[in-house]
Structures are given as C-alpha cells and as structure tokens.
Amino acid sequence: LGNKAMGKGFENVNNYDKAQIEFFAIDNIHAVRTSMEQLMNLCLTNENLDMAEWHTKLFQSKWLHHVRQILIGAKRVAECVKIDRASCLVHCSDGWDRTAQLTSLAQIILDPFYRTIKGFAVLIEKEWVSFGHQFEERIGHGHAEVHDQRSPVFIQFIDCVWQMLRQSPLSFEFTEEFLVSVLDHVYDCRFGTFLFNFESQRRKARYKEKTESLWSFLLAPKQSDIYVNYLYQYCDHKETQKMLQVSSDSRRIVLWEAYHMRYSKEFFECSVTPAVAAMQHSSQAHSRKKYMSVSKSHVQRTCSVIEKESGEAKQEHSKTESLIVITDCTEETTSPDPAAST
C-alpha cells in the first residue's frame, strides 16, 4: 500500500490482455542489509561454534535464502523468454536493485556471451551502471555517516553468479578470483566505474577524463590471463549455446567461502585466500602456457616429420603406379613375336 501511495506498486492485469503477473518474494534493500550484517558477524566471529550452532546462525541470517529466491526468479524470467516465447517485463519498486539482479542473471542463463570476461563486463555496464543502480547510495561512497540506503545488492548479484559458476564450471570463461576482484574494486574507489549514482552525475563530473575504467585494467591481456578459466576451452561450445541449467535446490545453494570467509582467522590459516589463489593461478597459467608452447612445438615437429615421411611415401607410391603403367605399356608394345618364342 505504501508503494502504491507513492505511485509505485504493480500493474492491474485487467488493463492488459493476455498478461499475467508473477511475484518472486525477493526482499527489499533493508532486509538484505540486515542479512549481510548477520552473515558478516557470523563469518568473522572468533567463537568456536559447533556445527549445529553454525548452521543455525547461517540459516537465521537468511543470506542463502535471499540468493535462492533471486535464482528462482532469474530462472523463471529465462524460461519465460526461451521456452514460453513470451515478452517479459521485470521491475521492482524503483527498478534499479532487484530488477537489475533478475535481468542480468537471466541474460547470463540465456546468452553464453555474458559468461565470458568481456561479456560480463558489458553486462554490468549495461544493466547496472548505465541503467542507474545507485552505487553511491548502496555502497556508501562519499558518505561518512551510515545511512539506511546502504545495501549489498550488487554483492548479492555477484554471489548468485558464483553459485552458477560453481554449478557449471565449464560454462564460464572467468574464475571466482575475477568475481572477487570486481567486488573489491567496487569498494576501493580506485576506478571510476562504480562511482556516483547516475550517468548524468558521471558526465557532469567528467569521470572518464579523471579516472580509469575498471575494465581497461581487468581486461588487459596481462591481467585477464590471471582470471581465465582454462577448463572453459575444453567445454562443448555447442552445449553452451543452450540455456544454462541452474539449480535452485536448497542443497545446491552454499556459502561462498572465498569471499565471505576470507577475513576469518580460521579460514585464512587453513585455506588459500583469493589473493594467493590468484597468484597461484597466474603461476599455473604461466606454467600451462609454457608447457602448451613446448607441447605445441613438439607436436609441430612431429607433424613435420610425419608429413615429410608421408610425402616421400606418396612419391614412392606415385612412382610405383607410374612404373606399373609404363611396364604394362612396355609389355604391350614390346611383346615378343609368338613365332620367335617358339
């Protein structure tokens, strides 16, 4: 009722022929902020919690519940477009929070281009930055005080992408280190990509002249190699053209440890942090490239030898065939006189 009083709310389907409305029960920014606070308190606690207490508090934070609801909604939007062949209008109260989450995730499910590093950058620029997600309000850039408009909506979206990546690791060109780096640069203000609320504010501030784009950094060849999922090249790309299969089963939705737990002392001591993982991945990538280069050279040399031997064998075979022909002709033209043979 409050949203309707402010001119928001939802459409009256009686005014639209052959239209239906579906609600996905995705909570607002205030519920998401509270959920994130509870999750961070749980992940950063120094208490030695037993398993039952840990899972109880994780359940009470409702973070995974929120992630699951968004995935359910994104799947339905994708099915509406791909399977039902219907037009789909997505909107929330304002249009720049839950709307961006659903449309972005639906496009990742439908189009394999958005599962590449470049495509993912295009998707964020299109559905989040240009569409008007208020990064300054939601992240708190430039605000010393903590206000009630802060909310980790974008973190929630990236978490959903990670859930998809975890379920279908061969279908994404990037790794989870790439997703962690994107989130880190949302908060560090090193780049101008996520500053301000609207495109008009960015143009007025001439941010393109004064700041560097995050994508020019992450998509640079030396940097992007760190974030390439080398399993991606072995996937069946005919299969990737199909709609991505995403499970919203509660048993498949898990806590993203590499992001939420990375500052936990227990996790830091017992696991590989994303920064270390990125360095290891870079080192492994260099080793793989070196090995692939050596293997490629060896294969090329082997192929050259085979081609050479094959060519010589073919020439011998051709000579043999020619000789046979010549022999036949010679036998026909110089066959001995029957009288002489007697």
Side-chain angles (χ1 to χ4, degrees):
L1 294 176
N3 284 331
K4 283 190 173 183
M6 293 186 292
K8 301 178 182 179
F10 56 91
E11 295 79 7
N12 184 352
V13 291
N14 295 326
N15 298 327
Y16 302 92
D17 294 334
K18 299 180 181 179
Q20 62 181 17
I21 292 181
E22 294 187 23
F23 298 95
F24 296 134
I26 301 174
D27 285 320
N28 59 29
I29 62 172
H30 308 294
V32 174
R33 181 178 63 250
T34 301
S35 178
M36 186 65 168
E37 290 173 353
Q38 293 178 3
L39 179 64
M40 288 295 96
N41 290 335
L42 175 62
C43 292
L44 299 177
T45 182
N46 293 323
E47 298 179 29
N48 187 16
L49 303 175
D50 59 35
M51 185 174 292
E53 190 175 5
W54 163 264
H55 285 289
T56 298
K57 290 189 175 182
L58 179 61
F59 172 77
Q60 291 173 347
S61 73
K62 299 187 69 175
W63 180 262
L64 297 182
H65 166 76
H66 296 316
V67 169
R68 179 173 179 268
Q69 290 301 118
I70 295 170
L71 289 176
I72 291 173
K75 283 178 58 181
R76 180 64 189 114
V77 172
E79 290 169 357
C80 178
V81 174
K82 182 72 173 181
I83 299 175
D84 299 342
R85 300 291 181 180
S87 299
C88 188
L89 172 65
V90 181
H91 73 81
C92 54
S93 299
D94 295 301
W96 51 64
D97 291 314
R98 290 164 286 186
T99 301
Q101 289 177 332
L102 291 181
T103 56
S104 300
L105 294 170
Q107 288 175 76
I108 292 174
I109 294 173
L110 291 169
D111 193 339
F113 171 69
Y114 296 120
R115 297 173 222 150
T116 65
I117 293 178
K118 181 179 179 181
F120 192 69
V122 171
L123 182 69
I124 292 177
E125 281 288 333
K126 178 168 67 76
E127 296 296 320
W128 292 83
V129 178
S130 297
F131 196 74
H133 177 68
Q134 298 187 26
F135 283 99
E136 182 179 326
E137 290 290 325
R138 299 295 181 256
I139 305 302
H141 293 153
H143 296 278
E145 73 284 356
V146 178
H147 54 78
D148 65 351
Q149 292 302 305
R150 289 192 183 189
S151 186
V153 174
F154 189 72
I155 295 178
Q156 199 176 38
F157 158 69
I158 297 294
D159 198 323
C160 291
V161 175
W162 178 81
Q163 301 288 340
M164 293 181 176
L165 171 61
R166 176 181 173 273
Q167 293 179 15
S168 304
L170 296 181
S171 299
F172 290 82
E173 187 187 24
F174 49 81
T175 62
E176 73 171 359
E177 288 79 28
F178 176 74
L179 298 177
V180 171
S181 295
V182 171
L183 286 180
D184 284 345
H185 292 305
V186 169
Y187 283 89
D188 65 12
C189 297
R190 178 182 174 186
F191 303 95
T193 304
F194 301 113
L195 298 180
F196 305 102
N197 287 324
F198 312 109
E199 190 65 24
S200 60
Q201 294 177 344
R202 298 185 185 95
R203 291 178 180 176
K204 185 177 180 180
R206 296 188 300 173
Y207 81 108
K208 289 186 178 180
E209 301 174 15
K210 301 176 181 179
T211 63
E212 185 180 355
S213 170
L214 170 62
W215 313 120
S216 63
F217 172 70
L218 292 182
L219 271 63
K222 291 183 179 180
Q223 192 69 21
S224 62
D225 287 345
I226 300 175
Y227 304 117
V228 171
N229 175 16
Y230 285 90
L231 295 176
Y232 179 73
Q233 62 182 317
Y234 298 109
C235 72
D236 185 352
H237 289 285
K238 290 183 179 179
E239 289 295 321
T240 61
Q241 299 300 320
K242 300 179 181 178
M243 189 170 74
L244 185 68
Q245 298 301 311
V246 180
S247 174
S248 56
D249 190 308
S250 299
R251 294 167 293 184
R252 301 294 305 278
I253 310 300
V254 299
L255 179 66
W256 185 12
E257 289 187 348
Y259 183 76
H260 298 297
M261 294 287 293
R262 59 179 174 158
Y263 296 120
S264 169
K265 180 180 179 181
E266 183 73 18
F267 183 81
F268 185 82
E269 292 176 350
C270 301
S271 305
V272 178
T273 63
V276 175
M279 289 188 289
Q280 289 183 349
H281 189 84
S282 178
S283 176
Q284 292 169 3
H286 178 72
S287 300
R288 278 193 295 269
K289 281 188 174 182
K290 186 177 179 181
Y291 173 76
M292 291 171 67
S293 177
V294 172
S295 300
K296 184 178 180 181
S297 300
H298 176 71
V299 170
Q300 287 176 340
R301 288 197 300 270
T302 304
C303 289
S304 298
V305 173
I306 293 174
E307 288 175 357
K308 183 178 179 181
E309 293 177 352
S310 176
E312 292 175 353
K314 186 176 181 181
Q315 291 178 1
E316 292 295 330
H317 183 62
S318 298
K319 289 179 181 178
T320 305
E321 290 179 343
S322 299
L323 287 172
I324 291 173
V325 172
I326 293 172
T327 302
D328 289 345
C329 292
T330 304
E331 287 180 351
E332 291 178 359
T333 54
T334 60
S335 58
D337 186 9
S341 62
T342 57

